[in-house]
Amino acid sequence: MKTIIMVLSLIFMTSTVFGQNKNVKEETKTTTTTIKDSKGESKIVKTEEIKEVQEIEFENANSKKLNKDMKPTPVIVTTTNEVKVDGETKYIDVDHSSYYDLDGTKYEIKSDNKGYILLNRNKKTANGILRKTSNNNYLFRSKNKVSVGYFDENGNLVLETYDPKTDSMIKEKYVIENEQ
């Protein structure tokens, strides 16, 4: 009997760990185009995946009220475009426009027609540009430096800059913000 009570209490306590703390909405749009030309028939499949993630926070989290009001929090939207020609992936694009933080300074990454622009949110000035390379990395250029950048699995921007004085690479991590 004691074992059954222990097992039930363990199941009850661990079930609260798996509670959802995010609202996630995913939408996929697929467009298929067939082209006939002198080379034959080609099938082009364009897939656009839109993912919206919103952190769940309560207005008054410490109240004893059963039904609590949800606090409005920003929605982080990620758009991924993929183009396949005859089953072979030709192009993948992910939109990383969002707000970021580096050592207490707030930045915004906005997409433009050639890549991204890095803006300082406090000064409302452009700090540099990001241009995509052929291997899905980014070349970052500002007044003072040229770096190689990439977005890690959490969506953070990591810039690596060569330091000739120490003959080493310096990493800077722009952490994506959940609030605007």
Side-chain angles (χ1 to χ4, degrees):
M1 183 69 172
K2 192 176 190 181
T3 308
I4 293 172
I5 293 173
M6 292 295 282
V7 169
L8 289 175
S9 64
L10 180 65
I11 291 171
F12 177 71
M13 288 189 301
T14 58
S15 66
T16 60
V17 173
F18 299 110
Q20 182 178 357
N21 59 357
K22 293 181 181 181
N23 281 335
V24 179
K25 177 184 169 189
E26 293 186 35
E27 182 179 339
T28 303
K29 297 177 187 175
T30 304
T31 307
T32 303
T33 308
T34 304
I35 299 174
K36 294 181 182 178
D37 59 7
S38 62
K39 296 177 185 175
E41 193 173 290
S42 297
K43 186 184 271 189
I44 300 172
V45 179
K46 179 184 177 194
T47 306
E48 179 180 34
E49 182 179 307
I50 301 169
K51 184 175 182 180
E52 299 177 2
V53 179
Q54 180 182 24
E55 296 288 329
I56 296 176
E57 294 181 21
F58 295 114
E59 289 272 343
N60 193 359
N62 297 328
S63 75
K64 295 184 180 189
K65 196 170 143 183
L66 182 59
N67 295 323
K68 298 179 183 181
D69 294 327
M70 205 169 100
K71 184 197 296 186
T73 57
V75 178
I76 299 173
V77 179
T78 305
T79 305
T80 305
N81 292 312
E82 180 178 37
V83 177
K84 290 184 179 182
V85 178
D86 292 332
E88 184 180 335
T89 302
K90 295 289 185 183
Y91 177 75
I92 297 177
D93 182 39
V94 179
D95 186 8
H96 294 285
S97 298
S98 190
Y99 297 98
Y100 294 82
D101 179 78
L102 175 68
D103 300 328
T105 304
K106 308 290 185 195
Y107 294 93
E108 180 179 3
I109 293 182
K110 280 186 168 182
S111 63
D112 67 355
N113 58 353
K114 294 182 181 178
Y116 296 101
I117 300 172
L118 181 68
L119 302 167
N120 185 319
R121 286 179 58 196
N122 299 333
K123 297 179 182 177
K124 307 283 189 217
T125 58
N127 276 40
I129 57 171
L130 287 159
R131 298 297 181 240
K132 193 169 188 173
T133 63
S134 60
N135 60 355
N136 289 330
N137 287 328
Y138 290 86
L139 187 64
F140 174 77
R141 186 177 59 83
S142 68
K143 291 180 185 177
N144 303 331
K145 67 180 176 182
V146 175
S147 305
V148 175
Y150 59 91
F151 291 92
D152 66 10
E153 64 276 355
N154 297 322
N156 302 318
L157 172 64
V158 179
L159 294 181
E160 296 183 7
T161 309
Y162 176 71
D163 183 8
K165 294 177 185 172
T166 61
D167 192 31
S168 63
M169 298 298 286
I170 298 171
K171 280 189 180 182
E172 293 177 304
K173 188 177 205 177
Y174 291 78
V175 179
I176 192 166
E177 291 184 346
N178 289 331
E179 56 187 70
Q180 295 182 5

